Each structure stands twice: as C-alpha cells, then as structure tokens.
Amino acid sequence: MKAEPQPVAATPRAQHKYIPATEAERAEMLRVVGVPSVEALFADIPAAVRLRAPLRLPPPLSDPEVMTALGALAAKNLHADAAACFLGAGAYDHYVPSVVWALAGRGEFLTAYTPYQAEMMQGELQAIYEYQSMLCELTAMDVANASMYDGASATAEAAVMARDLTRRDEVIVSTAVHPEYRQVLKTYTRPLGIQVVEVPHRHGRTDGETVVAHLSERTAAVIVQHPNFFGLLEDGRALVEIAHRRGALLICAVAEPLSLGLLTPPGIWGADIVAGEGQPLGNHLNFGGPYLGMMATRREYVRRIPGRLVGATVDVEGRRGFVLTLQTREQHIRREKATSNICTNEALLALAAGIYMAALGPQGLRKVAELNLYKAAYAREAIGALPGFRLAFDGPIFNEFVVRTPVPPEEVNQRLRREGILGGLPLGRYYPELADGWLVCVTEQRTRAQIDRLVAVLEGIR
C-alpha cells in the first residue's frame, strides 16, 4: 500500500538532516549578522503569505533507504544498458572506451570551472584547444569554438550567425532536418525577426528544385542535415552550389558526427558552417542530456562565431601557452555587439570528445564508422525483406533507416519491449504522413545475434 506523505515533524533530526548546523552555530550566525532570531530575518515577508505549517513531505530517509528508493525508480526504465537498443534519432548508443572517462573524470577536470585565469588553467585550456583542433579535422573546417549546449542550439546559433554575416533575415530549413532542431530554431529566431521557411523533403531527402523555388534575396542560409533525420545521405555539393548561387550560406547540421569518420566532411563539399551534436563522441546517452553542441566555420567568419575560442601562443620567454582568444559574448563585450547570449560551454563533455577522438585516431574513427554502416545495412536488408514490412526510402544511409510497419510502430515497440529490445522511433508524432514510419538505428554496439533476434521478433508481427 502506498503511504501518504506526512508532514515533517519539527524534530531536531528533521531540521538537521540536510542542514547540519547546530543551535549554537545558528545563534552565533545570528549574533554576527546582528539580528535577534531567524524569524527576524524574514520580517519583510508579509505574515499573510508565509507558510506556518510544515511542508507535506515524506519523512527523511537514510542514505541506504534513498539508494533503494532510487534503484526501484530506475528499475522501471528499460534502458540501453539492459536491452538491445535500436533507438537513435539524435542520441546514439555508442561504445565509450574506458580511457575516456577515466581521464575526463579526474578531479582537475571534473571540478574545474571556466578558465578565466589562463596562468592557472593551462591544462583545461589546452584540452579545449585540442578538442577544437580535432573537430576542425573531423569537419574539414578552419575554426571550431569551445562548444555549445547541444546540436539543436548550435544549429539555431548558426542561423543567427548567418543572418549577421549576410544581413538577410530569412533561413530555409529542410524538413529532413531533425524536427526538434527545427523547433529550437524557430524558438531562437522568432524574437530576432528571422523568418524560418521549411521546405518539404522529397522521398526522404532535401530536394534541390524545391530549395531553388524558395530562395530569395532575403535568404541568409539553407540548413540541411547530413546524414539527415531519416538516416539518408544528402547531396551536399549540389545544395552548396544552389545556396551560394543566390548569395546564401549553407549550414550543415550533423547529429551523428561518427559518420564523418567515413563520409566526406562538410568542409570539403563547401559548407560554410557546421553545427552538430557531439554526444556520440565519447559521451554516454545520459538520459537525454547534458549534451555537447559543436560548431565550426571558415576562417573568414571567425569574428561572428558565438561562444569563445581557445588559441595557442607563446609567452615573453618563448614558451608555448594557451589563452582565450575570442570571446564575442555578452559577458565580455558590449551587449549589442555580442554574437550570442550563451555564456556557458560544455567543457567537460568537449574534453571527453577530445579524448575519444585522440584515443581512436582517424583509423579508429573510420573503423567504428564502418561497423555502423555494415551492421545497419545488414539490418536494413533483413527487415526490408520481411512480409508486411517495407523500406520507406531508397538511397545510401549511415546507421539509420525508416521502415513502414504492418501495425502501428508503437505496437511494434510494445512487442519488442516484452522481448528486452528497445525499438525504433515512431515517426507519426513528427510526420503525420509517416504514421506507419519507424526510424531504426544500428550502431557498432549491436551484435549480429541481437539484429537477428530483432528480425525474428518482427517476423512474428502481422
């Protein structure tokens, strides 16, 4: 039977459980600040609005009791550590080598605050510098910042950056871009007077002719995702040419940066800004956050990149050192000149991404990317051949694909959960025309036996 919350009794234990100050210590603090009682501290709060009864909270628990209660709550979830996970859609179940958090979790990194004092923070500054450098290599761009909140906010910041660079007030975004990225984009840009024009995808990919039809002298940027939300690869070079022909920039959103271990990076095919999600690079799923916003651009646009950059230099004795080079944020320059109001980066997660990229190296990243590609291709072919199931779109993919299911995808997922399998994402919530659409992800974590088991369970669904 569920116990009703009871008022906390005003016992010494309840008062001191999480505020371990003795009565003597409280009296001393009151004496120092010069008031006769705790009641006197709240004299400015009208008596009519003050709570006179104890809060209706359950009684305090001991630490073992808290752990037991939290464990019981956690056990209600079916998570990626306890099930074969085929769910992606912007958050990916990749293997994180133990070296990543063994290093990132060291006290000097885990407890470090923002590196305001360069002379005291050389280690953290160098870690950010190395992260920026490797991100530039991964995206084939010239400059990367010291990170942002997540992929969605980075994409929205890229749109604002494009507006500032072109002095135009409209951005075109493909509906093959992550729906939640597009929602954040609209939230960000509406107060700034930037118009967001969505262009429909065609057979799961951004259609160049449709983009051309919507381009105008007002268009600051065209935003695409690669691989896109349906897992398909976009024709980046063609879309860059289309955007540049009308003086607009091309922003490439990357939700799955591990794909760049294998695919031609956006900088090679001419993208102007790369904004993406860094969670797949050495960071766990974290139940949806915190995540890591990536941003990189071309050298000529560096003055408009939001956030801050760490640069390398030498001191008066010629010794190598690291400093915050550009900080075009409102905390450091005049508000009206700031590129963004983002004042916090995700330095610890950027550090983990840097360690991950350094540990794997270019060949390791390529190997992991290949495993994703091959395993997803195996699952795609097997599921596409099942009676009642059919692939929604043709074309090359990386590690995700859309399947049309014979019963509602939500029902498919319920059947899979009973077998200890986390299924894909039902797409009807975002795309009504794809109410039977099911976005399946296969990372390097999935074994052939797990994929075969998924296919076997699906085979029994009619």
Side-chain angles (χ1 to χ4, degrees):
M1 179 182 295
K2 184 178 179 181
E4 289 295 325
Q6 298 298 318
V8 176
T11 63
R13 184 190 179 206
Q15 289 176 347
H16 299 162
K17 172 63 179 174
Y18 301 114
I19 308 174
T22 65
E23 289 298 333
E25 290 168 333
R26 293 184 181 196
E28 176 62 12
M29 287 188 282
L30 291 171
R31 187 192 66 77
V32 170
V33 300
V35 295
S37 65
V38 173
E39 190 75 11
L41 288 174
F42 303 113
D44 292 335
I45 301 175
V49 299
R50 293 172 65 178
L51 182 66
R52 294 295 182 184
L55 292 173
R56 292 186 61 82
L57 295 173
L61 302 176
S62 66
D63 285 356
E65 291 170 329
V66 169
M67 296 305 294
T68 299
L70 293 177
L73 288 174
K76 295 181 178 180
N77 291 313
L78 182 60
H79 52 84
D81 289 338
C85 177
F86 293 90
L87 182 61
Y92 298 96
D93 176 33
H94 291 300
Y95 179 73
V96 179
S98 55
V99 65
V100 174
W101 282 97
L103 295 178
R106 288 175 61 97
E108 56 267 45
F109 292 123
L110 197 61
T111 62
Y113 188 52
T114 193
Y116 285 133
Q117 292 179 277
E119 68 276 16
M120 299 292 291
M121 307 292 285
Q122 282 297 292
E124 186 177 358
L125 285 167
Q126 181 173 2
I128 296 174
Y129 179 83
E130 303 294 352
Y131 159 78
Q132 292 174 176
S133 301
M134 286 184 277
L135 190 59
C136 287
E137 285 192 47
L138 191 66
T139 58
M141 303 299 284
D142 299 322
V143 184
N145 73 8
S147 82
M148 314 197 79
Y149 293 145
D150 54 25
S153 64
T155 302
E157 291 282 348
V160 177
M161 182 177 162
R163 187 278 307 266
D164 294 343
L165 285 167
T166 62
R167 299 185 182 279
R168 300 177 176 185
D169 62 355
E170 179 184 280
V171 293
I172 291 176
V173 60
S174 167
T175 54
V177 171
H178 196 304
E180 292 173 349
Y181 284 26
R182 286 186 276 127
Q183 186 60 51
V184 171
L185 172 67
K186 294 172 187 173
T187 303
Y188 251 76
T189 55
R190 188 180 299 117
L192 300 176
I194 300 174
Q195 183 176 359
V196 176
V197 179
E198 292 190 341
V199 294
H201 67 87
R202 185 175 184 183
H203 306 305
R205 301 174 75 195
T206 304
D207 180 46
E209 292 183 6
T210 307
V211 174
V212 169
H214 286 81
L215 274 168
S216 73
E217 298 302 321
R218 293 179 55 192
T219 308
V222 175
I223 304 174
V224 298
Q225 181 178 331
H226 177 75
N228 69 28
F229 185 66
F230 304 119
L232 296 166
L233 307 189
E234 295 281 8
D235 187 349
R237 293 182 191 276
L239 293 167
V240 165
E241 184 180 341
I242 288 170
H244 287 180
R245 202 183 301 154
R246 295 297 298 270
L249 305 182
L250 193 289
I251 298 171
C252 179
V254 180
E256 176 49 293
L258 260 178
S259 65
L260 300 182
L262 188 62
L263 304 177
T264 301
I268 297 297
W269 40 262
D272 299 287
I273 305 172
V274 176
E277 174 54 62
Q279 176 269 321
L281 301 174
N283 288 288
H284 297 283
L285 287 168
N286 295 340
F287 288 96
Y291 279 2
L292 168 64
M294 308 184 306
M295 180 174 284
T297 188
R298 302 197 173 282
R299 184 182 305 275
E300 58 265 37
Y301 304 145
V302 66
R303 299 295 304 187
R304 298 307 309 180
I305 196 169
R308 53 191 177 183
L309 278 70
V310 173
T313 185
V314 293
D315 66 11
V316 293
E317 298 177 352
R319 296 176 300 186
R320 193 184 191 212
F322 302 90
V323 294
L324 286 173
T325 305
L326 289 176
Q327 302 182 75
T328 53
R329 55 186 190 150
E330 64 180 13
Q331 197 173 0
H332 295 286
I333 64 176
R334 285 182 294 168
R335 179 179 294 270
E336 64 274 17
K337 296 292 185 182
T339 55
S340 168
N341 66 359
I342 282 188
C343 293
T344 299
N345 64 13
E346 300 283 349
L348 185 64
L349 303 186
L351 171 67
I355 296 170
Y356 180 85
M357 288 187 281
L360 269 65
Q363 294 304 314
L365 286 172
R366 182 181 178 87
K367 180 64 177 176
V368 176
E370 287 177 346
L371 288 171
N372 279 255
L373 181 75
Y374 296 151
K375 293 188 177 188
Y378 176 76
R380 185 192 198 196
E381 182 177 352
I383 295 173
L386 291 174
F389 290 82
R390 59 189 174 91
L391 300 178
F393 307 118
D394 296 324
I397 64 164
F398 176 60
N399 65 3
E400 289 180 282
F401 54 93
V402 179
V403 177
R404 290 189 182 272
T405 58
V407 300
E410 293 83 358
E411 186 177 331
V412 173
N413 282 343
Q414 289 176 5
R415 298 275 289 272
L416 291 174
R417 275 197 292 272
R418 290 197 288 269
E419 301 295 331
I421 298 173
L422 273 173
L425 178 73
L427 293 179
R429 171 183 171 189
Y430 304 108
Y431 302 90
E433 72 278 13
L434 287 171
D436 61 346
W438 192 49
L439 181 63
V440 179
C441 175
V442 185
T443 71
E444 80 283 1
Q445 290 269 65
R446 300 288 69 81
T447 65
R448 179 167 179 167
Q450 289 174 330
I451 298 171
D452 290 343
R453 178 166 168 71
L454 168 71
V455 174
V457 176
L458 294 179
E459 197 169 15
I461 296 176
R462 296 285 191 274

